Amino acid sequence: MPTALINLSIIDIKLMLAQFAQGLQDVIPESALDRIATASKPLKIKFGADPSAPDLHIGHMVVLKKLRILQDMGHLVQFLVGDFTAMIGDPTGKSETRKPLTSEQVKANAESYKTQVFKLLDPAKTQVVFNSEWLDKLTSREMIKLSAQYTVARMLERDDFQKRFSQERPISIHEFLYPLLQGYDSVVLENDIEMGGTDQKFNVLMGRHLQKEYGKPVQAVITAPLLEGVDGVQKMSKSLGNHIGLLESGQDQFGKIMSIPDTMILKYFSLITDASPEELLQFKFELDSGKNPKFLKEELGVRLVSFLHSPQEAMNAKEAFNRVFSQKLNPEDMPVLSIPPTPTKWTDFMVLHGMAPSKKEASRLIEHGAVSLDGEILRDSLAFFLGKPEQVLKVGKRRFYRFK
RNA sequence: GGAGGGAUUGCAGAGUGGCCAAAUGCAACAGACUGUAAAUCUGUCGGGCUUCGCCCUUCGAUGGUUCGAAUCCAUCUCCCUCCA
């Protein structure tokens, strides 16, 4: 009975379960939800992460929030750092071959993961594990046995493999090992559930298959939808540069939320906030009846920053945003720069302080009318510096500096 | 092992002797507009300068042909495909 796990009423359990189930993509088998509610001992839930890109973003929040609910119901999350799988590298990626990470890097990244993950997860109910721990020891013999558990034909069913195969693009053998090893992790950890984004569905299902082949109890598979990045088109990812990082400042997070396409507002609300279905309907109604989407984005930004930082910081971020962008005023805090002691050209000054990567770029900014001193636009890119103390230099829309 | 295709400015992708710092798209940056860092429109997008003109460095690497090369030749490096 659930109450044996943790002190929760039947009603609490029902509510939490409903909250958990909301918006999930796949639940295989469906009975997994019952099991979550009625388990008599904590279920072991695996969530894997690739340590080569240790910056988590709000796209990860979708799954992490779900995991947190499970923890609150008394279950255990095994946060798996795929340090071994990351070390294999991926030579076919047309970017560059992944560099193997040193164990120091892995450690550092794992630490960084923790600070990020524990913004959402409960440390007391989270176990961090590294798959190199057992995969390092896997012998060739065992590797062959593992490979024998799956066929090429079935492997090629995976979307991206299928696509590449039909387009006669290369697939390296070791790429087949990825899903196998990921599944093998579940065999070793004896997970009851594995969670991930929908892009992980195939790999996660492999865990089920392999557990069965190895004569273990079979894990349930639960996937959550992927969140598009701030461009509203591609999935959120750091390498695409369309992400909002969990560790970014509240102001940046808020600003980035304000830059998502209006069509993404409801999706963001449903995936990364605790908005109830009723609220979502209300928001949809408001949008349909012509409410300025700006206000909903503000609400979204406030909720996100409140959650990741604090309500106070959220209000500050909102105020600063409106101050700078709606009222076109200067922000309250801005970096302070000293006035150069010797005659300096604006372009040199700007490059010196990182306002532009080259003098050429600096003069372009000036020619575009993007640089102003106390509201007065600088026009001459050849001019010499003439700032005075307390004056405010503005570069572009959102960079402000004050002279001292 | 054999045959063929390719390497271009952040990415994608044109360009096959001068008009090429190199089309176009995306991204990025800026301006206008907007009660948004949305959308849309416009512009910019290697670097430097005595800045509307000039100079320097770039088209995998090195050497060569030529008045002149991203474009032709040679060698090398890397990548891919097919056949075995």
Side-chain angles (χ1 to χ4, degrees):
Chain A
M1 273 292 100
T3 43
L5 252 187
I6 197 165
N7 198 17
L8 289 172
S9 72
I10 298 290
I11 293 173
D12 286 336
I13 298 256
K14 279 202 166 162
L15 281 175
M16 291 168 96
L17 199 63
Q19 206 187 349
F20 175 75
Q22 188 192 323
L24 289 177
Q25 192 80 26
D26 305 286
V27 179
I28 306 168
E30 283 191 31
S31 60
L33 293 178
D34 290 335
R35 202 168 154 217
I36 288 167
T38 59
S40 57
K41 59 175 193 177
L43 298 176
K44 286 200 281 183
I45 301 138
K46 183 174 95 181
F47 175 64
D50 178 350
S52 51
D55 286 312
L56 294 181
H57 50 67
I58 64 170
H60 295 109
M61 279 177 72
V62 185
V63 175
L64 289 172
K65 285 175 79 74
K66 299 295 183 192
L67 290 171
R68 176 57 192 248
I69 297 172
L70 296 180
Q71 290 184 320
D72 290 342
M73 294 173 83
H75 300 295
L76 173 76
V77 168
Q78 291 184 306
F79 184 78
L80 181 122
V81 179
D83 59 339
F84 183 89
T85 22
M87 276 190 234
I88 294 176
D90 185 0
T92 59
K94 46 190 152 144
S95 38
E96 75 274 36
T97 306
R98 276 200 207 157
K99 300 222 164 51
L101 299 170
T102 65
S103 58
E104 287 79 47
Q105 281 173 309
V106 168
K107 247 180 225 161
N109 290 351
E111 277 310 307
S112 148
Y113 262 140
K114 281 190 204 163
T115 56
Q116 298 176 69
V117 157
F118 290 150
K119 276 184 176 285
L120 289 103
L121 296 185
D122 177 356
K125 292 182 183 121
T126 305
Q127 190 186 351
V128 179
V129 291
F130 298 85
N131 65 2
S132 63
E133 197 182 309
W134 52 88
L135 292 181
D136 265 338
K137 295 178 195 138
L138 206 63
T139 63
S140 307
R141 195 174 287 272
E142 287 167 315
M143 197 73 171
I144 289 167
K145 182 186 167 198
L146 175 62
S147 311
Q149 308 304 323
Y150 216 72
T151 64
V152 171
R154 290 212 58 195
M155 194 62 89
L156 287 174
E157 286 170 9
R158 201 173 93 166
D159 280 355
D160 49 355
F161 285 153
Q162 195 173 51
K163 212 169 170 186
R164 283 202 272 162
F165 189 68
S166 63
Q167 291 177 349
E168 301 188 330
R169 277 165 44 216
I171 301 170
S172 296
I173 296 288
H174 84 282
E175 295 184 74
F176 282 174
L177 299 179
Y178 260 87
L180 287 173
L181 290 174
Q182 185 172 337
Y184 187 73
D185 290 340
S186 292
V187 172
V188 173
L189 291 172
E190 303 188 328
N191 293 110
D192 299 297
I193 297 176
E194 178 162 2
M195 281 203 72
T198 49
D199 56 340
Q200 288 294 309
K201 186 172 173 182
F202 181 93
N203 294 348
V204 172
L205 281 169
M206 181 66 81
R208 256 172 95 74
H209 175 80
L210 291 177
Q211 283 173 324
K212 197 197 242 164
E213 295 297 325
Y214 279 82
K216 304 248 178 162
V218 173
Q219 71 182 12
V221 160
I222 299 179
T223 66
L226 293 180
L227 182 67
E228 285 86 354
V230 292
D231 56 1
V233 181
Q234 292 180 281
K235 74 170 183 177
M236 185 173 288
S237 100
K238 195 192 174 195
S239 49
L240 292 172
N242 61 359
H243 69 300
I244 301 178
L246 292 183
L247 297 179
E248 286 179 40
S249 74
Q251 284 208 7
D252 281 344
Q253 290 172 339
F254 189 90
K256 286 187 181 180
I257 285 292
M258 294 307 278
S259 84
I260 64 171
D262 295 347
T263 50
M264 282 288 119
I265 295 175
L266 292 175
K267 186 156 191 185
Y268 269 59
F269 262 115
S270 77
L271 292 181
I272 61 169
T273 70
D274 291 320
S276 64
E278 294 75 39
E279 274 184 303
L280 291 176
L281 276 176
Q282 171 66 24
F283 293 151
K284 182 170 175 3
F285 174 77
E286 288 177 0
L287 279 176
D288 289 346
S289 47
K291 179 167 177 173
N292 188 330
K294 188 209 168 191
F295 297 118
L296 284 172
K297 281 199 210 170
E298 280 182 346
E299 175 65 18
L300 179 62
V302 166
R303 289 197 193 195
L304 178 72
V305 178
S306 299
F307 182 79
L308 289 174
H309 296 279
S310 68
Q312 182 56 45
E313 183 151 354
M315 290 323 293
N316 290 346
K318 179 180 164 182
E319 269 170 38
F321 184 89
N322 281 318
R323 201 180 150 81
V324 173
F325 297 106
S326 299
Q327 300 167 40
K328 313 259 186 239
L329 297 173
N330 295 333
E332 309 222 311
D333 301 319
M334 45 191 133
V336 176
L337 296 179
S338 357
I339 294 173
T342 53
T344 309
K345 275 191 203 152
W346 275 114
T347 49
D348 291 324
F349 183 79
M350 288 171 69
V351 172
L352 180 68
H353 290 283
M355 298 167 198
S358 67
K359 292 183 207 174
K360 195 102 171 170
E361 179 66 28
S363 46
R364 255 178 232 130
L365 286 168
I366 292 174
E367 275 155 25
H368 282 155
V371 182
S372 64
L373 189 61
D374 265 359
E376 198 163 326
I377 294 172
L378 298 172
R379 289 288 175 195
D380 185 0
S381 58
L382 297 175
F384 278 81
F385 183 91
L386 35 71
K388 296 187 189 69
E390 288 308 304
Q391 282 189 312
V392 171
L393 177 68
K394 182 180 179 191
V395 179
K397 283 185 189 132
R398 51 188 141 127
R399 277 137 78 197
F400 296 84
Y401 308 87
R402 184 193 293 286
F403 292 120
K404 73 171 180 202

